[in-house]
Amino acid sequence: MLKKIAYIIVAIVVIVLGMAALQPSAFSVSRSITIKAPPEKIVPLVSDFHQWASWSPWEHLDPAMVRTFSGAPSGKGAVYGWNGNSAVGEGRMEILDVNGNASVDIKLDFLRPMEGHNDCLFTFEPKGGMTTVKWTMTGPVPFMSKIMTVFVTLDRMIGPDFEKGLNQMKAVAEK
Protein backbone atom coordinates (compact mmCIF):
# COMPACT_ATOMS: atom_id res chain seq x y z
CA MET A 1 0.00 0.00 0.00
CA LEU A 2 2.80 2.46 0.91
CA LYS A 3 4.52 1.60 -2.36
CA LYS A 4 1.40 2.55 -4.35
CA ILE A 5 1.11 5.88 -2.49
CA ALA A 6 4.79 6.59 -3.18
CA TYR A 7 4.28 5.86 -6.91
CA ILE A 8 1.25 8.15 -7.01
CA ILE A 9 3.19 10.97 -5.32
CA VAL A 10 6.13 10.54 -7.70
CA ALA A 11 3.75 10.51 -10.68
CA ILE A 12 2.09 13.74 -9.51
CA VAL A 13 5.49 15.41 -9.02
CA VAL A 14 6.63 14.29 -12.48
CA ILE A 15 3.41 15.56 -14.07
CA VAL A 16 3.67 18.96 -12.34
CA LEU A 17 7.35 19.31 -13.31
CA GLY A 18 6.52 18.32 -16.88
CA MET A 19 3.71 20.87 -17.05
CA ALA A 20 6.05 23.51 -15.58
CA ALA A 21 8.65 22.78 -18.25
CA LEU A 22 6.01 23.55 -20.90
CA GLN A 23 5.17 26.99 -19.43
CA PRO A 24 6.40 30.09 -21.32
CA SER A 25 9.82 31.48 -20.42
CA ALA A 26 8.54 35.07 -20.34
CA PHE A 27 5.38 36.82 -19.20
CA SER A 28 3.47 39.97 -19.96
CA VAL A 29 0.66 41.46 -17.88
CA SER A 30 -1.23 44.54 -19.09
CA ARG A 31 -4.16 46.59 -17.95
CA SER A 32 -5.51 49.89 -19.19
CA ILE A 33 -7.97 52.57 -18.15
CA THR A 34 -9.35 55.76 -19.65
CA ILE A 35 -8.92 58.84 -17.47
CA LYS A 36 -10.68 62.19 -17.91
CA ALA A 37 -7.45 64.19 -17.84
CA PRO A 38 -4.68 65.12 -20.28
CA PRO A 39 -1.41 63.15 -20.23
CA GLU A 40 0.36 66.22 -18.77
CA LYS A 41 -1.61 65.70 -15.55
CA ILE A 42 -1.14 61.90 -15.42
CA VAL A 43 2.50 61.36 -16.46
CA PRO A 44 3.91 63.08 -13.31
CA LEU A 45 1.98 60.57 -11.16
CA VAL A 46 4.17 57.86 -12.70
CA SER A 47 7.45 59.68 -13.44
CA ASP A 48 7.78 61.03 -9.88
CA PHE A 49 8.09 58.18 -7.39
CA HIS A 50 7.15 60.56 -4.56
CA GLN A 51 3.63 60.62 -6.05
CA TRP A 52 3.17 56.84 -6.17
CA ALA A 53 1.85 56.87 -2.59
CA SER A 54 -1.30 58.56 -3.93
CA TRP A 55 -2.23 55.68 -6.26
CA SER A 56 0.02 52.60 -6.05
CA PRO A 57 -1.88 49.48 -4.93
CA TRP A 58 1.04 48.37 -2.75
CA GLU A 59 1.90 51.60 -0.92
CA HIS A 60 -0.47 51.08 2.01
CA LEU A 61 -0.07 47.33 2.55
CA ASP A 62 2.64 47.96 5.15
CA PRO A 63 2.40 51.19 7.17
CA ALA A 64 5.94 50.57 8.50
CA MET A 65 7.48 50.10 5.02
CA VAL A 66 10.81 51.87 4.65
CA ARG A 67 11.07 53.93 1.43
CA THR A 68 14.21 55.41 -0.07
CA PHE A 69 14.49 57.87 -2.95
CA SER A 70 17.74 58.50 -4.79
CA GLY A 71 19.06 59.58 -8.16
CA ALA A 72 17.13 62.27 -10.01
CA PRO A 73 14.18 63.81 -8.11
CA SER A 74 11.85 62.57 -10.89
CA GLY A 75 12.03 61.34 -14.46
CA LYS A 76 14.97 59.48 -15.96
CA GLY A 77 17.38 58.29 -13.29
CA ALA A 78 14.93 58.51 -10.38
CA VAL A 79 15.22 55.52 -8.05
CA TYR A 80 12.75 54.24 -5.46
CA GLY A 81 13.56 51.46 -3.04
CA TRP A 82 11.32 49.81 -0.48
CA ASN A 83 11.64 47.27 2.29
CA GLY A 84 8.57 46.01 4.10
CA ASN A 85 6.58 43.10 5.38
CA SER A 86 5.76 39.95 3.39
CA ALA A 87 2.90 41.74 1.57
CA VAL A 88 5.29 44.21 -0.11
CA GLY A 89 8.68 42.56 0.22
CA GLU A 90 11.82 44.39 -0.80
CA GLY A 91 12.76 45.88 -4.12
CA ARG A 92 13.87 48.76 -6.27
CA MET A 93 12.55 50.68 -9.28
CA GLU A 94 14.47 52.98 -11.60
CA ILE A 95 13.02 55.17 -14.32
CA LEU A 96 14.93 54.33 -17.49
CA ASP A 97 13.18 56.74 -19.83
CA VAL A 98 10.39 59.30 -20.02
CA ASN A 99 9.26 59.87 -23.58
CA GLY A 100 7.51 63.23 -23.16
CA ASN A 101 3.86 62.61 -22.36
CA ALA A 102 3.80 59.33 -24.32
CA SER A 103 5.47 56.77 -22.05
CA VAL A 104 7.48 56.01 -18.92
CA ASP A 105 9.82 52.97 -18.87
CA ILE A 106 10.78 51.53 -15.48
CA LYS A 107 13.22 48.79 -14.45
CA LEU A 108 11.70 46.82 -11.57
CA ASP A 109 13.82 44.59 -9.34
CA PHE A 110 12.23 42.45 -6.62
CA LEU A 111 14.65 41.17 -3.99
CA ARG A 112 12.24 39.33 -1.71
CA PRO A 113 10.08 37.38 -1.13
CA MET A 114 11.15 36.11 -4.58
CA GLU A 115 13.85 37.66 -6.70
CA GLY A 116 12.67 38.95 -10.05
CA HIS A 117 13.85 41.45 -12.64
CA ASN A 118 11.13 42.94 -14.83
CA ASP A 119 10.30 45.91 -17.03
CA CYS A 120 7.26 48.14 -16.59
CA LEU A 121 5.99 50.40 -19.32
CA PHE A 122 3.28 53.00 -18.85
CA THR A 123 1.87 54.47 -22.06
CA PHE A 124 -0.41 57.49 -22.33
CA GLU A 125 -2.63 57.90 -25.39
CA PRO A 126 -4.66 61.13 -25.51
CA LYS A 127 -8.13 61.12 -27.05
CA GLY A 128 -9.82 64.49 -26.79
CA GLY A 129 -9.95 65.42 -23.12
CA MET A 130 -9.30 61.82 -22.09
CA THR A 131 -6.17 59.68 -21.86
CA THR A 132 -5.88 55.92 -22.09
CA VAL A 133 -3.22 54.74 -19.65
CA LYS A 134 -1.77 51.28 -20.22
CA TRP A 135 0.39 49.58 -17.58
CA THR A 136 2.43 46.61 -18.80
CA MET A 137 4.93 44.47 -16.93
CA THR A 138 7.14 41.96 -18.73
CA GLY A 139 9.91 39.67 -17.62
CA PRO A 140 11.43 36.22 -17.57
CA VAL A 141 9.81 33.27 -15.81
CA PRO A 142 12.43 31.14 -14.00
CA PHE A 143 11.68 27.45 -13.51
CA MET A 144 10.53 27.81 -9.89
CA SER A 145 8.00 30.42 -11.02
CA LYS A 146 6.91 28.12 -13.84
CA ILE A 147 5.93 25.53 -11.23
CA MET A 148 3.73 28.15 -9.56
CA THR A 149 2.15 29.12 -12.92
CA VAL A 150 0.92 25.56 -13.35
CA PHE A 151 -1.62 26.43 -10.66
CA VAL A 152 -2.17 30.20 -11.09
CA THR A 153 -1.18 32.55 -13.91
CA LEU A 154 0.86 35.67 -13.32
CA ASP A 155 -1.93 37.62 -15.03
CA ARG A 156 -4.39 36.49 -12.35
CA MET A 157 -1.89 37.30 -9.60
CA ILE A 158 -0.76 40.75 -10.79
CA GLY A 159 -3.65 41.93 -12.97
CA PRO A 160 -6.06 42.78 -10.13
CA ASP A 161 -3.37 44.93 -8.48
CA PHE A 162 -2.83 46.80 -11.76
CA GLU A 163 -6.59 47.38 -12.02
CA LYS A 164 -6.73 48.71 -8.44
CA GLY A 165 -3.74 50.98 -9.04
CA LEU A 166 -5.12 52.35 -12.31
CA ASN A 167 -8.49 53.04 -10.66
CA GLN A 168 -6.73 54.88 -7.83
CA MET A 169 -4.63 56.79 -10.41
CA LYS A 170 -7.87 57.77 -12.20
CA ALA A 171 -9.38 59.08 -8.95
CA VAL A 172 -6.27 61.18 -8.25
CA ALA A 173 -5.93 62.52 -11.81
CA GLU A 174 -9.61 63.41 -12.16
CA LYS A 175 -9.71 65.51 -8.96
Side-chain angles (χ1 to χ4, degrees), residues 25-28 117-119 137-141:
S25 296
F27 77 95
S28 179
H117 305 282
N118 305 311
D119 294 309
M137 182 165 60
T138 59
V141 182

Side-chain angles (χ1 to χ4, degrees), residues 135-151:
W135 184 359
T136 302
M137 182 165 60
T138 59
V141 182
F143 190 75
M144 291 305 290
S145 295
K146 287 183 178 188
I147 293 171
M148 179 182 66
T149 63
V150 168
F151 303 101

Side-chain angles (χ1 to χ4, degrees), residues 7-22:
Y7 285 136
I8 290 171
I9 291 171
V10 168
I12 290 170
V13 169
V14 168
I15 289 169
V16 169
L17 292 176
M19 291 173 69
L22 298 174

Side-chain angles (χ1 to χ4, degrees), residues 105-126:
D105 188 12
I106 299 171
K107 178 183 174 196
L108 172 60
D109 296 310
F110 294 106
L111 304 175
R112 70 172 176 82
M114 291 191 307
E115 186 173 348
H117 305 282
N118 305 311
D119 294 309
C120 286
L121 180 65
F122 288 83
T123 58
F124 309 90
E125 184 181 331

Side-chain angles (χ1 to χ4, degrees), residues 13-159:
V13 169
V14 168
I15 289 169
V16 169
L17 292 176
M19 291 173 69
L22 298 174
Q23 297 297 311
S25 296
F27 77 95
S28 179
V29 175
S30 290
R31 295 293 189 275
S32 62
I33 196 166
T34 300
I35 299 175
K36 294 178 190 170
E40 300 81 37
K41 188 169 180 183
I42 305 167
V43 170
L45 295 173
V46 177
S47 65
D48 181 352
F49 287 132
H50 297 91
Q51 295 195 44
W52 279 54
S54 69
W55 64 269
S56 172
W58 301 288
E59 279 294 321
H60 304 288
L61 295 178
D62 178 7
M65 181 170 63
V66 176
R67 297 164 181 83
T68 58
F69 300 93
S70 59
S74 66
K76 186 175 181 176
V79 176
Y80 171 57
W82 70 91
N83 191 350
N85 62 21
S86 61
V88 295
E90 180 180 4
R92 177 184 188 276
M93 292 189 288
E94 179 178 354
I95 297 178
L96 300 178
D97 192 28
V98 178
N99 183 11
N101 288 319
S103 65
V104 176
D105 188 12
I106 299 171
K107 178 183 174 196
L108 172 60
D109 296 310
F110 294 106
L111 304 175
R112 70 172 176 82
M114 291 191 307
E115 186 173 348
H117 305 282
N118 305 311
D119 294 309
C120 286
L121 180 65
F122 288 83
T123 58
F124 309 90
E125 184 181 331
K127 294 177 184 174
M130 316 259 276
T131 303
T132 299
V133 179
K134 185 175 181 183
W135 184 359
T136 302
M137 182 165 60
T138 59
V141 182
F143 190 75
M144 291 305 290
S145 295
K146 287 183 178 188
I147 293 171
M148 179 182 66
T149 63
V150 168
F151 303 101
V152 63
T153 68
L154 290 171
D155 190 81
R156 284 183 112 177
M157 288 177 55
I158 301 166

